[in-house]
PDB file of all heavy atoms in Angstrom:
ATOM      1  N   PRO A  15     -56.650 -22.061  17.880  1.00 97.00           N
ATOM      2  CA  PRO A  15     -55.772 -22.937  18.664  1.00 97.00           C
ATOM      3  C   PRO A  15     -54.735 -23.654  17.803  1.00 97.00           C
ATOM      4  O   PRO A  15     -55.045 -24.158  16.724  1.00 97.00           O
ATOM      5  CB  PRO A  15     -56.743 -23.930  19.297  1.00 97.00           C
ATOM      6  CG  PRO A  15     -58.012 -23.178  19.418  1.00 97.00           C
ATOM      7  CD  PRO A  15     -58.062 -22.268  18.217  1.00 97.00           C
ATOM      8  N   GLY A  16     -53.495 -23.662  18.268  1.00 97.00           N
ATOM      9  CA  GLY A  16     -52.416 -24.321  17.545  1.00 97.00           C
ATOM     10  C   GLY A  16     -51.655 -23.391  16.625  1.00 97.00           C
ATOM     11  O   GLY A  16     -50.620 -23.776  16.078  1.00 97.00           O
ATOM     12  N   GLU A  17     -52.165 -22.167  16.431  1.00 96.00           N
ATOM     13  CA  GLU A  17     -51.537 -21.213  15.507  1.00 96.00           C
ATOM     14  C   GLU A  17     -50.144 -20.814  15.997  1.00 96.00           C
ATOM     15  O   GLU A  17     -49.946 -20.489  17.160  1.00 96.00           O
ATOM     16  CB  GLU A  17     -52.421 -19.974  15.396  1.00 96.00           C
ATOM     17  CG  GLU A  17     -51.996 -19.029  14.310  1.00 96.00           C
ATOM     18  CD  GLU A  17     -53.027 -18.963  13.196  1.00 96.00           C
ATOM     19  OE1 GLU A  17     -54.181 -19.336  13.422  1.00 96.00           O
ATOM     20  OE2 GLU A  17     -52.640 -18.543  12.098  1.00 96.00           O
ATOM     21  N   TYR A  18     -49.192 -20.804  15.075  1.00 97.00           N
ATOM     22  CA  TYR A  18     -47.807 -20.436  15.392  1.00 97.00           C
ATOM     23  C   TYR A  18     -47.713 -18.926  15.594  1.00 97.00           C
ATOM     24  O   TYR A  18     -48.156 -18.143  14.757  1.00 97.00           O
ATOM     25  CB  TYR A  18     -46.909 -20.891  14.239  1.00 97.00           C
ATOM     26  CG  TYR A  18     -45.474 -20.486  14.359  1.00 97.00           C
ATOM     27  CD1 TYR A  18     -44.627 -21.129  15.255  1.00 97.00           C
ATOM     28  CD2 TYR A  18     -44.954 -19.459  13.581  1.00 97.00           C
ATOM     29  CE1 TYR A  18     -43.298 -20.753  15.363  1.00 97.00           C
ATOM     30  CE2 TYR A  18     -43.636 -19.077  13.675  1.00 97.00           C
ATOM     31  CZ  TYR A  18     -42.809 -19.735  14.577  1.00 97.00           C
ATOM     32  OH  TYR A  18     -41.506 -19.368  14.690  1.00 97.00           O
ATOM     33  N   LEU A  19     -47.139 -18.503  16.716  1.00 96.00           N
ATOM     34  CA  LEU A  19     -47.053 -17.070  17.016  1.00 96.00           C
ATOM     35  C   LEU A  19     -45.621 -16.561  17.042  1.00 96.00           C
ATOM     36  O   LEU A  19     -45.393 -15.356  17.008  1.00 96.00           O
ATOM     37  CB  LEU A  19     -47.713 -16.774  18.365  1.00 96.00           C
ATOM     38  CG  LEU A  19     -49.190 -17.133  18.524  1.00 96.00           C
ATOM     39  CD1 LEU A  19     -49.633 -16.910  19.949  1.00 96.00           C
ATOM     40  CD2 LEU A  19     -50.051 -16.313  17.585  1.00 96.00           C
ATOM     41  N   GLY A  20     -44.645 -17.439  17.146  1.00 95.00           N
ATOM     42  CA  GLY A  20     -43.263 -17.012  17.205  1.00 95.00           C
ATOM     43  C   GLY A  20     -42.420 -18.032  17.942  1.00 95.00           C
ATOM     44  O   GLY A  20     -42.940 -19.029  18.439  1.00 95.00           O
ATOM     45  N   VAL A  21     -41.110 -17.774  18.001  1.00 96.00           N
ATOM     46  CA  VAL A  21     -40.227 -18.694  18.721  1.00 96.00           C
ATOM     47  C   VAL A  21     -40.064 -18.218  20.160  1.00 96.00           C
ATOM     48  O   VAL A  21     -40.320 -17.063  20.480  1.00 96.00           O
ATOM     49  CB  VAL A  21     -38.844 -18.836  18.040  1.00 96.00           C
ATOM     50  CG1 VAL A  21     -38.961 -19.611  16.759  1.00 96.00           C
ATOM     51  CG2 VAL A  21     -38.210 -17.492  17.822  1.00 96.00           C
ATOM     52  N   ALA A  22     -39.605 -19.124  21.020  1.00 95.00           N
ATOM     53  CA  ALA A  22     -39.516 -18.837  22.446  1.00 95.00           C
ATOM     54  C   ALA A  22     -38.543 -17.710  22.763  1.00 95.00           C
ATOM     55  O   ALA A  22     -38.674 -17.043  23.786  1.00 95.00           O
ATOM     56  CB  ALA A  22     -39.114 -20.102  23.193  1.00 95.00           C
ATOM     57  N   GLU A  23     -37.545 -17.451  21.886  1.00 95.00           N
ATOM     58  CA  GLU A  23     -36.602 -16.369  22.137  1.00 95.00           C
ATOM     59  C   GLU A  23     -37.235 -14.996  21.948  1.00 95.00           C
ATOM     60  O   GLU A  23     -36.763 -14.006  22.491  1.00 95.00           O
ATOM     61  CB  GLU A  23     -35.391 -16.490  21.188  1.00 95.00           C
ATOM     62  CG  GLU A  23     -34.433 -17.604  21.521  1.00 95.00           C
ATOM     63  CD  GLU A  23     -34.816 -18.923  20.863  1.00 95.00           C
ATOM     64  OE1 GLU A  23     -35.975 -19.058  20.430  1.00 95.00           O
ATOM     65  OE2 GLU A  23     -33.957 -19.811  20.796  1.00 95.00           O
ATOM     66  N   GLU A  24     -38.319 -14.937  21.153  1.00 94.00           N
ATOM     67  CA  GLU A  24     -38.955 -13.659  20.852  1.00 94.00           C
ATOM     68  C   GLU A  24     -39.833 -13.159  21.992  1.00 94.00           C
ATOM     69  O   GLU A  24     -39.782 -11.988  22.362  1.00 94.00           O
ATOM     70  CB  GLU A  24     -39.848 -13.815  19.614  1.00 94.00           C
ATOM     71  CG  GLU A  24     -39.158 -13.761  18.290  1.00 94.00           C
ATOM     72  CD  GLU A  24     -40.181 -13.819  17.172  1.00 94.00           C
ATOM     73  OE1 GLU A  24     -40.627 -14.943  16.848  1.00 94.00           O
ATOM     74  OE2 GLU A  24     -40.554 -12.771  16.668  1.00 94.00           O
ATOM     75  N   PHE A  25     -40.668 -14.046  22.524  1.00 96.00           N
ATOM     76  CA  PHE A  25     -41.686 -13.640  23.487  1.00 96.00           C
ATOM     77  C   PHE A  25     -41.802 -14.663  24.603  1.00 96.00           C
ATOM     78  O   PHE A  25     -41.369 -15.808  24.478  1.00 96.00           O
ATOM     79  CB  PHE A  25     -43.064 -13.557  22.809  1.00 96.00           C
ATOM     80  CG  PHE A  25     -43.176 -12.497  21.764  1.00 96.00           C
ATOM     81  CD1 PHE A  25     -43.186 -12.839  20.418  1.00 96.00           C
ATOM     82  CD2 PHE A  25     -43.300 -11.157  22.105  1.00 96.00           C
ATOM     83  CE1 PHE A  25     -43.311 -11.868  19.440  1.00 96.00           C
ATOM     84  CE2 PHE A  25     -43.425 -10.183  21.139  1.00 96.00           C
ATOM     85  CZ  PHE A  25     -43.430 -10.535  19.804  1.00 96.00           C
ATOM     86  N   LEU A  26     -42.471 -14.206  25.685  1.00 96.00           N
ATOM     87  CA  LEU A  26     -42.946 -15.129  26.716  1.00 96.00           C
ATOM     88  C   LEU A  26     -44.429 -15.366  26.429  1.00 96.00           C
ATOM     89  O   LEU A  26     -45.105 -14.469  25.926  1.00 96.00           O
ATOM     90  CB  LEU A  26     -42.798 -14.505  28.108  1.00 96.00           C
ATOM     91  CG  LEU A  26     -41.392 -14.431  28.681  1.00 96.00           C
ATOM     92  CD1 LEU A  26     -41.397 -13.552  29.915  1.00 96.00           C
ATOM     93  CD2 LEU A  26     -40.889 -15.826  29.036  1.00 96.00           C
ATOM     94  N   PRO A  27     -44.951 -16.552  26.730  1.00 97.00           N
ATOM     95  CA  PRO A  27     -46.377 -16.761  26.487  1.00 97.00           C
ATOM     96  C   PRO A  27     -47.223 -16.055  27.548  1.00 97.00           C
ATOM     97  O   PRO A  27     -47.010 -16.231  28.744  1.00 97.00           O
ATOM     98  CB  PRO A  27     -46.531 -18.279  26.557  1.00 97.00           C
ATOM     99  CG  PRO A  27     -45.378 -18.766  27.349  1.00 97.00           C
ATOM    100  CD  PRO A  27     -44.276 -17.755  27.215  1.00 97.00           C
ATOM    101  N   GLY A  28     -48.170 -15.226  27.116  1.00 97.00           N
ATOM    102  CA  GLY A  28     -49.112 -14.572  28.020  1.00 97.00           C
ATOM    103  C   GLY A  28     -50.417 -15.348  28.060  1.00 97.00           C
ATOM    104  O   GLY A  28     -50.466 -16.474  27.569  1.00 97.00           O
ATOM    105  N   PRO A  29     -51.487 -14.758  28.594  1.00 96.00           N
ATOM    106  CA  PRO A  29     -52.771 -15.463  28.617  1.00 96.00           C
ATOM    107  C   PRO A  29     -53.232 -15.812  27.199  1.00 96.00           C
ATOM    108  O   PRO A  29     -53.103 -14.998  26.288  1.00 96.00           O
ATOM    109  CB  PRO A  29     -53.731 -14.446  29.248  1.00 96.00           C
ATOM    110  CG  PRO A  29     -52.865 -13.461  29.949  1.00 96.00           C
ATOM    111  CD  PRO A  29     -51.556 -13.437  29.247  1.00 96.00           C
ATOM    112  N   GLY A  30     -53.730 -17.038  27.031  1.00 97.00           N
ATOM    113  CA  GLY A  30     -54.209 -17.472  25.722  1.00 97.00           C
ATOM    114  C   GLY A  30     -53.123 -17.985  24.799  1.00 97.00           C
ATOM    115  O   GLY A  30     -53.399 -18.349  23.670  1.00 97.00           O
ATOM    116  N   ALA A  31     -51.868 -17.991  25.279  1.00 97.00           N
ATOM    117  CA  ALA A  31     -50.767 -18.531  24.477  1.00 97.00           C
ATOM    118  C   ALA A  31     -50.017 -19.555  25.322  1.00 97.00           C
ATOM    119  O   ALA A  31     -50.134 -19.571  26.546  1.00 97.00           O
ATOM    120  CB  ALA A  31     -49.831 -17.421  24.027  1.00 97.00           C
ATOM    121  N   TYR A  32     -49.236 -20.417  24.661  1.00 97.00           N
ATOM    122  CA  TYR A  32     -48.437 -21.383  25.393  1.00 97.00           C
ATOM    123  C   TYR A  32     -47.201 -21.721  24.585  1.00 97.00           C
ATOM    124  O   TYR A  32     -47.106 -21.381  23.405  1.00 97.00           O
ATOM    125  CB  TYR A  32     -49.247 -22.651  25.703  1.00 97.00           C
ATOM    126  CG  TYR A  32     -49.494 -23.537  24.506  1.00 97.00           C
ATOM    127  CD1 TYR A  32     -48.695 -24.661  24.264  1.00 97.00           C
ATOM    128  CD2 TYR A  32     -50.494 -23.248  23.594  1.00 97.00           C
ATOM    129  CE1 TYR A  32     -48.899 -25.466  23.154  1.00 97.00           C
ATOM    130  CE2 TYR A  32     -50.703 -24.043  22.487  1.00 97.00           C
ATOM    131  CZ  TYR A  32     -49.917 -25.149  22.275  1.00 97.00           C
ATOM    132  OH  TYR A  32     -50.125 -25.927  21.173  1.00 97.00           O
ATOM    133  N   GLU A  33     -46.244 -22.358  25.257  1.00 97.00           N
ATOM    134  CA  GLU A  33     -45.003 -22.729  24.594  1.00 97.00           C
ATOM    135  C   GLU A  33     -44.917 -24.242  24.479  1.00 97.00           C
ATOM    136  O   GLU A  33     -45.235 -24.966  25.417  1.00 97.00           O
ATOM    137  CB  GLU A  33     -43.821 -22.203  25.416  1.00 97.00           C
ATOM    138  CG  GLU A  33     -42.501 -22.325  24.692  1.00 97.00           C
ATOM    139  CD  GLU A  33     -41.319 -22.169  25.633  1.00 97.00           C
ATOM    140  OE1 GLU A  33     -41.378 -21.307  26.527  1.00 97.00           O
ATOM    141  OE2 GLU A  33     -40.362 -22.941  25.493  1.00 97.00           O
ATOM    142  N   SER A  34     -44.509 -24.715  23.317  1.00 95.00           N
ATOM    143  CA  SER A  34     -44.333 -26.145  23.111  1.00 95.00           C
ATOM    144  C   SER A  34     -43.186 -26.339  22.146  1.00 95.00           C
ATOM    145  O   SER A  34     -43.206 -25.782  21.041  1.00 95.00           O
ATOM    146  CB  SER A  34     -45.627 -26.739  22.548  1.00 95.00           C
ATOM    147  OG  SER A  34     -45.358 -27.872  21.771  1.00 95.00           O
ATOM    148  N   ASP A  35     -42.185 -27.058  22.550  1.00 94.00           N
ATOM    149  CA  ASP A  35     -41.046 -27.345  21.683  1.00 94.00           C
ATOM    150  C   ASP A  35     -40.399 -26.052  21.170  1.00 94.00           C
ATOM    151  O   ASP A  35     -40.100 -25.922  19.989  1.00 94.00           O
ATOM    152  CB  ASP A  35     -41.510 -28.235  20.512  1.00 94.00           C
ATOM    153  CG  ASP A  35     -40.366 -29.013  19.892  1.00 94.00           C
ATOM    154  OD1 ASP A  35     -39.312 -29.093  20.562  1.00 94.00           O
ATOM    155  OD2 ASP A  35     -40.528 -29.510  18.775  1.00 94.00           O
ATOM    156  N   TYR A  36     -40.192 -25.079  22.077  1.00 96.00           N
ATOM    157  CA  TYR A  36     -39.571 -23.779  21.792  1.00 96.00           C
ATOM    158  C   TYR A  36     -40.382 -22.924  20.823  1.00 96.00           C
ATOM    159  O   TYR A  36     -39.883 -21.954  20.288  1.00 96.00           O
ATOM    160  CB  TYR A  36     -38.116 -23.949  21.295  1.00 96.00           C
ATOM    161  CG  TYR A  36     -37.296 -24.799  22.220  1.00 96.00           C
ATOM    162  CD1 TYR A  36     -36.872 -26.061  21.843  1.00 96.00           C
ATOM    163  CD2 TYR A  36     -36.995 -24.343  23.508  1.00 96.00           C
ATOM    164  CE1 TYR A  36     -36.147 -26.858  22.720  1.00 96.00           C
ATOM    165  CE2 TYR A  36     -36.281 -25.127  24.388  1.00 96.00           C
ATOM    166  CZ  TYR A  36     -35.858 -26.385  23.985  1.00 96.00           C
ATOM    167  OH  TYR A  36     -35.164 -27.160  24.852  1.00 96.00           O
TER     168      TYR A  36
END
Side-chain angles (χ1 to χ4, degrees):
Chain A
E17 190 113 19
Y18 175 75
L19 301 174
V21 289
E23 287 88 342
E24 279 184 279
F25 295 106
L26 286 169
Y32 73 98
E33 190 196 320
S34 152
D35 202 16
Y36 308 111

